[in-house]
Amino acid sequence: MRIGILGTGHVGRTLADAWSAAGHEVVLGSRTPDAAGTPAGRVRVASTREAVAAADVVVNATPGTASLGLLSSVGAAALAGKVLLDVAVGFTEDGDLSHLGESLGEELQRAFPATPVVKTLCTVDRMVMVDPGSLEGPGTLFLSGEDPAAKATVRGLLRDLGWADDALLDLGGIGTARAQEHVSLLFIGIAESTGTHLFGLRVVMPAERAATTHR
């Protein structure tokens, strides 16, 4: 697929390298592409508009407090019909979540109604995003969104990162993205307690329910 990743920080570049290695055509979008540096491999850096224009799937890996403004500068017309995979979580300068009454995922879906938004990957560290097998046991990754076809597309991209089908838990509509983003606070607490960001969360079900829950 053609993937445009908005955000040239650690998360964006890590995902870009992994999807490129899986055979996808990946472009990193930056507001200042000339200053973004040269990524490794076949990944290239372009303007945000160019990255979106060339993409089937747009990945929002920007700081959550800047996401709406950046995507608005690209324009709803340019995003229409493309899947928007939203990884971002917004934090205030005090370290609190910037989106409390609703999620960033909901805000983006409301702002771009013709662009199906799927929230995922925001509950794990960037290295676990692309190497779930590095953990001692399998973790659970969550998906939130309204469009089944968009979710199916995102599931395929997650499988290309190494996530098994039974590790992907569909929470429901985009409103459930609030739960994913609030896990960030739990994530910080666990990281401070254990001294590492390299861990996952696992939803464990009774044996008779497990086969039908991860769908």
Side-chain angles (χ1 to χ4, degrees):
M1 300 193 72
R2 298 177 302 171
I3 304 172
I5 300 179
L6 303 185
T8 56
H10 294 306
V11 172
R13 289 178 183 267
T14 300
L15 289 172
D17 290 344
W19 276 320
S20 178
H24 299 288
E25 181 182 336
V26 183
V27 177
L28 282 166
S30 172
R31 285 173 290 191
T32 55
D34 292 338
T38 304
R42 298 183 296 117
V43 178
R44 65 186 181 89
V45 178
S47 69
T48 53
R49 291 179 181 273
E50 184 180 351
V52 169
D56 304 306
V57 175
V58 177
V59 179
N60 175 38
T62 64
T65 51
S67 298
L68 180 59
L70 177 63
L71 288 163
S72 295
S73 71
V74 173
L79 290 163
K82 300 177 185 291
V83 175
L84 178 58
L85 194 167
D86 179 31
V87 182
V89 178
F91 288 95
T92 66
E93 292 183 359
D94 296 330
D96 293 326
L97 288 175
S98 59
H99 294 76
L100 296 175
E102 69 171 359
S103 63
L104 172 62
E106 289 173 278
E107 182 181 49
L108 295 178
Q109 187 62 89
R110 186 177 65 251
F112 307 104
T115 303
V117 177
V118 180
K119 188 84 181 189
T120 191
L121 288 172
C122 67
T123 56
V124 291
D125 178 79
R126 64 186 175 93
M127 300 309 297
V128 177
M129 290 180 188
V130 302
D131 190 12
S134 63
L135 301 180
E136 183 176 354
T140 302
L141 200 62
F142 308 100
L143 295 93
S144 302
E146 304 294 336
D147 189 290
K151 283 181 177 176
T153 297
V154 170
R155 278 178 173 272
L157 293 177
L158 296 177
R159 285 194 294 267
D160 288 340
L161 297 179
W163 292 90
D165 279 326
D166 62 1
L168 305 178
L169 181 57
D170 189 340
L171 297 181
I174 195 62
T176 64
R178 300 181 194 184
Q180 291 198 56
E181 293 182 20
H182 279 72
V183 167
S184 299
L185 300 178
L186 175 62
F187 181 94
I188 292 170
I190 294 173
E192 291 177 346
S193 177
T194 62
T196 181
H197 293 88
L198 302 179
F199 59 85
L201 303 176
R202 179 68 179 174
V203 176
V204 180
M205 301 294 294
E208 64 272 17
R209 291 281 306 278
T212 59
T213 299
H214 294 276
R215 58 190 190 277

